[in-house]
Amino acid sequence: MKKNLAAALALAVGVGVVGAGAGFAAGTADDLINARQAEMKVNMKAMKAFVAILKGETPYDAAAVQAAVKSMTDAQAEGVAKDVWNASSQTGATVKTGAKPEIWTDAAGFAAAWKDLDTATAALAATTDEASFKAAFPAVGAACKGCHEKFRQAE
């Protein structure tokens, strides 16, 4: 878990808001949208693994939980490095996005939502048994839900 991920994301979002149209983003709007959608797909895959453990469909495995959390944090770090939440990517030329404008108009709220996810995934990574996993997992689900409700368009 990168403790500075939320701060880096907040900085990236803030720079993106200030620098909209400045042309410094790492790719076209479509490239950035595709990259952040790939990040969300990594998160969804990890969540499916977590839910399978929670439901008892898959036995708890600390290494598997660690690997899934690592995949999420690595994807987030890559998103920050690519500046995928840059304000220039609010609308794609050919790629549709589910991101709401509030991501950029409420950058502090968006950064706080990412911090919540970062904190929850760190707690999940620290689990050592099924009981601690089941106690920590709801915060991850709540962080995802909270962000999606405010910052993701309904499908």
Side-chain angles (χ1 to χ4, degrees), residues 70-103:
K70 184 175 181 337
S71 70
M72 291 174 69
T73 56
D74 288 352
Q76 290 172 358
E78 184 177 340
V80 169
K82 289 182 178 179
D83 197 18
V84 300
W85 298 102
N86 182 288
S88 70
S89 68
Q90 291 183 51
T91 304
T94 61
V95 178
K96 184 178 177 190
T97 181
K100 286 184 174 179
E102 286 84 347
I103 290 171

Side-chain angles (χ1 to χ4, degrees), residues 87-141:
S88 70
S89 68
Q90 291 183 51
T91 304
T94 61
V95 178
K96 184 178 177 190
T97 181
K100 286 184 174 179
E102 286 84 347
I103 290 171
W104 298 278
T105 61
D106 182 12
F110 185 63
W114 275 107
K115 185 175 180 358
D116 289 346
L117 179 61
D118 206 25
T119 300
T121 54
L124 196 62
T127 64
T128 57
D129 58 28
E130 188 172 358
S132 60
F133 169 82
K134 286 182 175 181
F137 177 78
V140 176

Side-chain angles (χ1 to χ4, degrees), residues 6-16:
L9 182 60
L11 177 63
V13 170
V15 169

